[in-house]
Amino acid sequence: MGKITGFMEFARVKPAYEAPESRLRHWKEFVSPLTEEQARIQGARCMDCGVPFCTHGCPVNNIIPDWNDLVYRQDWKRALDVLLSTNNFPEFTGRICPAPCEAACTLNLNDTAVGIKSIEHTIIERGWQEGWVVPQPPARKTGKRVAIVGSGPAGLACAQQLARAGHSVSVYEKSNRIGGLLRYGIPDFKLEKSHIDRRLAQMEAEGVEFLPSTYVGRPEHAEDGLTVVTPEELLAQHDAVVLAGGSEQPRDLPVPGRELRGVHFAMDFLRQQNKINHGDRIAKPINAKGKHVVVIGGGDTGSDCVGTSNRQGAASVTQFELMFRPPEEEDKLLTWPYWPIRLRTSSSHEEGCQRDWAVGTQAFEGKGGKVEKLVATRLEWLKDKATGQMKMREVKDSRFEIQADLVLLAMGFVSPVRSVLDAFGVDADGRGNARANTDDYCSSRAKVFAAGDMRRGQSLVVWAIREGRQCARSVDEYLMGASVLPR
């Protein structure tokens, strides 16, 4: 590394955040990239550690030490080339990835990790500013046609790789805009949608065709106003089809009172706000203004609901988690270099939220068909002596109630929507995902591949990008007999 003692000389520096009282008044991003000098110093913290566990911790296997060293040397163009060699969309991961690479950083074992995510963010933004991120159309066309169903990160990564290999690629999306989870599942204050739009412009220049408001499946399952394309039509018109939709079936909470007005799935709430920010008109929007909001689920989606509720003007926001409160700091000697379980406080939590752990929801109650309160109990988690598994049980006499005018269910997603898999006649695994392995991403039906959350289940954007890239190589090998695309 360029600065062999940098990790001993420099402290980790976090990006600058706009103050909560200011950022709650708008929907724009509030995290600033590092300055070039800050990034250079942070790059100097990267150790000559011998084995780069960060690269193994990163799902797309970013070559992190190399671009850290190049940033330290101020060779920004080569740093960008190294970054883009493994990741199609670092402007997305540099903003919303939880950074498993940093958990695996060797310096993280006894110090604070290298600020890998913030350096990545700075590199790609410098690349866009300098005009280095340009279309890469293929030198020749293969004459092969590929359809990709779903325009989230897996579908977009797969589409870009295949287009650059010379195939004619069409991306089908049932929503009115392209982007999938990136467009409608992630709030604007974490990812402004202009970043998606500039990537789409690049991909269109590379030859990718985008078909929004188009449902692929059986007509009876399509919403009104959508163009419908059946699987048979798609397969007849293309040499290969990639199923890259999301894991869209949310986990429900079947307790008394679930049918009351004011109890909603988190993604319905988040999707509506993103559409409103785009200028769409929503007939009956779900709005937290002046309401006491309860978010059930402690993950990223729950955190997004907290930030969105506060920006809408909620009277209060409470977030419940079924699991026990994790420790403030992990035992690194036990967990490193793997992703640790520890207490994580997001920027949305810092904006105002009451958090509670080991809470089990028993019922929703209300009047006139409208929810007014949530009934819950405390839980304790005990290890089963026979199996070693953690099991929960209610704490005696721990029942309590909380005012709730709006309840948002953010407990994750269980599987893709089954109607899509059934329409293609694709086998599902035990969890309801499309059955396909990571060797070739082939489904049980000829010409049909599956990647991303539709194959692996609910996961991270960076995992979706990895699967899209690997699936693209498999499709290219299937069509051409060999592939020069990276895996």
Side-chain angles (χ1 to χ4, degrees):
M1 302 304 296
K3 184 68 171 174
I4 199 71
T5 58
F7 70 96
M8 296 187 291
E9 299 176 32
F10 306 118
R12 177 181 169 115
V13 173
K14 295 182 179 180
Y17 280 55
E18 185 180 344
E21 58 271 18
S22 173
R23 68 190 192 227
L24 282 174
R25 294 196 289 267
H26 62 76
W27 295 94
K28 297 180 180 179
E29 291 178 12
F30 52 84
V31 181
S32 300
L34 300 177
T35 66
E36 291 182 12
E37 179 60 19
Q38 286 176 325
R40 189 185 76 84
I41 292 175
Q42 290 306 294
R45 296 186 73 235
C46 190
M47 304 169 67
D48 187 11
C49 59
V51 178
F53 288 94
C54 56
T55 295
H56 297 284
C58 172
V60 293
N61 302 126
N62 277 330
I63 313 170
I64 295 162
D66 291 45
W67 44 258
N68 279 342
D69 183 49
L70 290 166
V71 166
Y72 171 71
R73 299 176 187 276
Q74 298 289 276
D75 193 342
W76 290 93
K77 179 62 169 62
R78 287 180 64 200
L80 178 67
D81 291 342
V82 173
L83 176 57
L84 291 176
S85 71
T86 56
N87 186 353
N88 293 70
F89 312 123
E91 65 270 34
F92 304 154
T93 53
R95 287 174 165 83
I96 61 176
C97 184
C101 55
E102 294 187 13
C105 173
T106 302
L107 188 57
N108 188 49
L109 186 55
N110 61 355
D111 199 344
T112 55
V114 174
I116 299 167
K117 178 178 175 180
S118 60
I119 297 173
E120 177 184 36
H121 186 185
T122 306
I123 293 171
I124 186 60
E125 289 310 307
R126 173 70 185 270
W128 282 107
Q129 291 167 11
E130 295 288 347
W132 295 333
V133 185
V134 295
Q136 300 177 36
R140 63 178 183 84
K141 299 291 284 187
T142 65
K144 303 291 186 180
R145 292 178 52 81
V146 182
I148 296 178
V149 182
S151 68
L156 293 180
C158 189
Q160 186 167 64
Q161 294 295 95
L162 288 170
R164 290 176 175 178
H167 306 303
S168 297
V169 181
S170 298
V171 178
Y172 294 80
E173 169 59 55
K174 67 178 181 297
S175 296
N176 61 338
R177 295 181 182 88
I178 298 296
L181 173 71
L182 296 168
R183 175 76 66 179
Y184 288 133
I186 298 171
D188 285 3
F189 57 81
K190 289 176 64 175
L191 177 68
E192 289 184 25
K193 304 312 180 266
S194 59
H195 305 307
I196 303 174
D197 295 335
R198 67 185 179 184
R199 268 297 173 189
L200 298 181
Q202 179 201 38
M203 293 175 66
E204 285 182 321
E206 293 171 345
V208 178
E209 177 188 24
F210 294 109
L211 298 157
S213 301
T214 304
Y215 179 81
V216 177
R218 300 298 171 208
E220 60 268 24
H221 296 134
E223 296 180 6
D224 292 341
L226 297 183
T227 301
V228 178
V229 178
T230 66
E232 291 75 19
E233 291 171 331
L234 208 65
L235 288 164
Q237 297 166 9
H238 297 85
D239 299 289
V241 174
V242 177
L243 302 181
S247 181
E248 296 182 283
Q249 190 65 47
R251 182 174 284 107
D252 208 343
L253 187 60
V255 298
R258 170 63 181 88
E259 74 287 351
L260 292 172
R261 296 194 309 277
V263 182
H264 302 277
F265 287 121
M267 201 52 65
D268 294 338
F269 174 66
L270 297 174
R271 185 181 294 110
Q272 282 193 2
Q273 184 59 59
N274 280 344
K275 283 179 172 288
I276 291 170
N277 290 348
H278 270 298
D280 292 354
R281 296 176 65 89
I282 305 297
K284 295 181 179 179
I286 306 167
N287 197 286
K289 185 179 176 70
K291 296 178 182 177
H292 296 279
V293 180
V294 178
V295 179
I296 301 178
D300 288 341
T301 302
S303 172
D304 292 344
C305 288
V306 171
T308 300
S309 296
N310 279 324
R311 280 165 178 75
Q312 290 182 352
S316 69
V317 183
T318 303
Q319 185 177 25
F320 288 151
E321 168 58 50
L322 190 71
M323 298 298 294
F324 52 83
R325 181 186 174 114
E328 296 280 346
E329 295 292 338
E330 71 272 25
D331 186 340
K332 293 181 180 180
L333 291 177
L334 284 177
T335 61
W336 180 88
Y338 301 107
W339 184 250
I341 296 176
R342 63 174 174 82
L343 181 64
R344 302 177 192 277
T345 299
S346 72
S347 58
S348 292
H349 294 140
E350 294 170 350
E351 293 163 359
C353 175
Q354 294 294 319
R355 304 166 73 186
D356 205 346
W357 289 264
V359 174
T361 302
Q362 300 298 302
F364 305 115
E365 296 181 359
K367 294 179 182 177
K370 177 73 173 64
V371 68
E372 293 182 340
K373 64 183 178 181
L374 180 151
V375 181
T377 60
R378 300 287 173 187
L379 303 172
E380 59 180 351
W381 288 85
L382 304 170
K383 183 176 289 188
D384 186 278
K385 294 181 179 179
T387 65
Q389 294 180 333
M390 297 297 291
K391 294 186 177 182
M392 66 179 184
R393 71 180 182 188
E394 294 181 13
V395 176
K396 186 178 180 181
D397 299 327
S398 65
R399 189 179 179 92
F400 68 97
E401 299 177 353
I402 182 173
Q403 184 176 356
D405 308 311
L406 174 62
V407 178
L408 301 171
L409 306 180
M411 302 174 296
F413 302 85
V414 295
S415 69
V417 176
R418 189 58 192 253
S419 59
V420 176
L421 301 186
D422 288 344
F424 276 91
V426 169
D427 290 345
D429 62 18
R431 296 182 300 158
N433 303 317
R435 186 185 297 280
N437 61 44
T438 55
D439 293 329
D440 55 20
Y441 290 88
C442 293
S443 75
S444 59
R445 184 167 183 178
K447 293 175 56 174
V448 179
F449 298 75
D453 287 6
M454 183 167 274
R455 190 206 68 83
R456 67 178 288 118
Q458 176 189 353
S459 191
L460 304 176
V461 166
V462 67
W463 272 108
I465 295 173
R466 172 196 173 107
E467 295 225 343
R469 288 171 61 88
Q470 292 189 343
C471 182
R473 179 182 172 90
S474 295
V475 172
D476 192 33
E477 288 178 332
Y478 167 77
L479 295 176
M480 307 303 293
S483 178
V484 297
L485 292 175
R487 180 168 166 79

